[in-house]
Amino acid sequence: MQSIEEKIKDFAGKAGIGLTGIAGEGRFDGPPSLDPSYTLKGAKAIISMVLPMNVPAIYDFLSKKSHGPHNLEQLKSCQRMHRISMELAGYIKNLGYRAVAVPPNNTYRRSLDPWSTRPSFSHRFGAVAAGLGTFGLSGNVVTRQYGAAIYLGTVVTDAPLQSDPLKPARDTMDNRCRTCKLCDKSCTLRMFRDDEEEYLLINGELHARGKRDNLDLCNMPCFGLHGISTDKKWTNWGRHWIKEYTDCRPDPENRVSIRRMMMREGPASGDGGPRYDVIRRGNSLIWPRQSVEDLIPDYENLPGSEEKIARLLITAHENMGVTGLKDPYVLTCGQCSLVCGPDFDETKKRYDMLIASGYVVPGADGKMVHVDTYEEARELKDKYHVTFSRRERLQNSGGAFWLRNYFGFEPRGEWQGWLYQRKNKRACADAGLAGREAKAPALFLGIIVNGPGKSVKKQK
Ligand code: B12
């Protein structure tokens, strides 16, 4: 007879999930967002799942052939992951237990810093606790089978499930990242460091990842606000370049000035509000299958023309109730995970595509135009620079939405966070790694503790 764990994995596999792992009791000692009881009181286990990203769509994206297929595929896959997670939760309920699906993304807890983006449950921490992979330099979870180019999903349950074996905590960092580091070079603002590690204590073991300089340096490229690489040799798909950061990477410790820049550039982009809304609605809510998931064909059956691809995206957005985007391609970066394939050769191949891909910038009609040199890109950017009125900027900034939905104070999580930081700090010190613990730089507390930071700019 099949065990309950086997039945669950069988269900997930038949639904199309690539990898499934289980973390049971004793596997949730870590940062607060590894606590499954935030999602389900009395939770005893989680089922962590992986869907690989579509590789041809990644090639199109990195080589600048088109950003359409990856934009469509991510929306489809996140809906798919959400649907399968809900179906699996239903199946576990049929077996007599309680179960809840964690949406793929955008279920942030309230915080005094509404942009701190702390998830209700961290799929990454869950995947590590369930033995599916370990952290890489970029902080992404890297699996042996697919690298980091994956979508993660989680179901939380009170079923008393047996855990799967864990991967060694340094599996990815020692066996892959040490000699690769191409994810770092794929980030336009170089958010993490390739020469310094930070550590997270999870279930009594220290897990390494690249030290993160400042999460806002990830938020800006990922939301399309800074598309040009630090060496100015290529771009991601972002429409904007922050003037002050084009020649000089900012000092990551100057948190206040970087956040101020994000607050200036977000509204200046003219459609930050609806863009975020597409991501939120596509990732945290589930829609009737025919209106998003089934509307979007698999890569092999996508329409040949860019116009038709854009129309598909716009229809999917409209079906989720979002209009008013200046352009429908909301995914502009994520390159640290897209380049990371199952082995070094594949990763290098993807990275080479990126650095040989040149530049994309908005042209006369607002559509992205491909050019080969920095000078051409600069010229087009200056020529077709679009500005928005103060009213438009305010209307479409989305700032009020963030405050309304994510500002607040959740004492339990903050307390758990404080206890965790202390424990992690002690564990690092005991291991001879004093000061290398991953910090949780809540902006307001950070300002009080560290001061507003240095104004010196740092070139990298
Ligand atoms: C916020 C978020 C983002 C933000 C910030 C990214 C980042 N670097 O953290 C943005 C929008 C920029 C982003 C970008 C991307 N993301 Co994202 N994102 C998330 C999300 C919602 C949470 C990530 C997270 O755990 N962050 C923050 C905290 C919790 O982690 P931490 O800093 O390590 O924790 C420290 C402290 O904050 C503290 N702490 C932790 N939790 C809590 C809670 C409380 C209350 C307190 C007080 C403290 C505290 O403890 C830790 C040690 O100090 C998850 C979905 C999910 N629900 O898990 C997807 C997710 C991580 N993203 C994903 C992906 C794919 C991407 C992109 C590639 C873009 C894309 N979608 O194509 C890029 C990759 C960038 C990168 N290197 O991380 C995947 C990851 C795949 C993988 N292989 O790991 C996820 C899991 C989505 C999914 N369902 O697949 N993302």
Side-chain angles (χ1 to χ4, degrees), residues 31-33 53 70 74 102-109 116-119 121-125 138-141 148 150-153 191-192 200 209 212 215 218-219 222-223 331 333-334 336-338 413-414 417 420-421 424 438-440:
S33 44
M53 290 183 185
H70 177 61
Q74 183 154 133
V102 180
N105 219 323
N106 305 81
T107 55
Y108 301 133
R109 299 174 188 224
S116 63
T117 58
R118 294 169 185 151
F121 185 84
S122 165
H123 295 298
R124 283 180 179 153
F125 298 157
S138 63
N140 285 301
V141 166
I150 51 173
Y151 305 109
L152 293 168
M191 186 265 285
F192 41 92
L200 290 154
R209 66 182 179 195
R212 292 162 173 217
L215 261 191
C218 171
N219 283 320
C222 261
F223 286 107
L331 297 177
C333 191
C336 58
S337 87
L338 302 192
E414 296 297 340
Y420 174 73
Q421 295 297 331
N424 193 17
K439 308 245 169 30

Side-chain angles (χ1 to χ4, degrees), residues 28 30-43 109-110 118 120 408-420:
F28 303 110
S33 44
L34 179 60
D35 174 9
S37 72
Y38 185 89
T39 305
L40 177 73
K41 239 184 166 156
R109 299 174 188 224
R110 288 185 181 273
R118 294 169 185 151
S120 56
F409 185 66
E410 297 189 15
R412 183 167 168 234
E414 296 297 340
W415 174 239
Q416 285 177 325
W418 186 77
L419 289 177
Y420 174 73

Side-chain angles (χ1 to χ4, degrees), residues 310-428:
R311 174 71 1 238
L312 263 176
L313 264 177
I314 293 166
T315 308
H317 296 169
E318 284 170 358
N319 289 347
M320 299 190 299
V322 192
T323 53
L325 268 80
K326 307 282 175 205
D327 88 287
Y329 304 95
V330 298
L331 297 177
T332 56
C333 191
Q335 298 182 155
C336 58
S337 87
L338 302 192
V339 291
C340 183
D343 55 35
F344 178 72
D345 288 347
E346 175 62 21
T347 304
K348 178 82 170 60
K349 176 177 160 186
R350 294 183 194 178
Y351 175 71
D352 286 345
M353 281 180 189
L354 172 67
I355 58 167
S357 67
Y359 309 78
V360 279
V361 283
D365 55 2
K367 293 200 183 108
M368 297 305 263
V369 177
H370 184 258
V371 291
D372 291 326
T373 66
Y374 176 72
E375 289 67 34
E376 288 170 283
R378 182 76 269 169
E379 200 185 317
L380 284 174
K381 277 211 71 66
D382 293 341
K383 193 164 170 192
Y384 300 117
H385 182 68
V386 183
T387 51
F388 298 93
S389 67
R390 184 186 289 257
R391 196 192 143 107
E392 267 181 310
R393 279 190 269 158
L394 268 177
Q395 255 174 3
N396 291 319
S397 70
F401 176 89
W402 280 84
L403 281 173
R404 205 170 46 246
N405 289 282
Y406 305 125
F407 177 75
F409 185 66
E410 297 189 15
R412 183 167 168 234
E414 296 297 340
W415 174 239
Q416 285 177 325
W418 186 77
L419 289 177
Y420 174 73
Q421 295 297 331
R422 254 181 30 149
K423 205 167 152 182
N424 193 17
K425 192 172 174 179
R426 206 175 314 127
C428 286

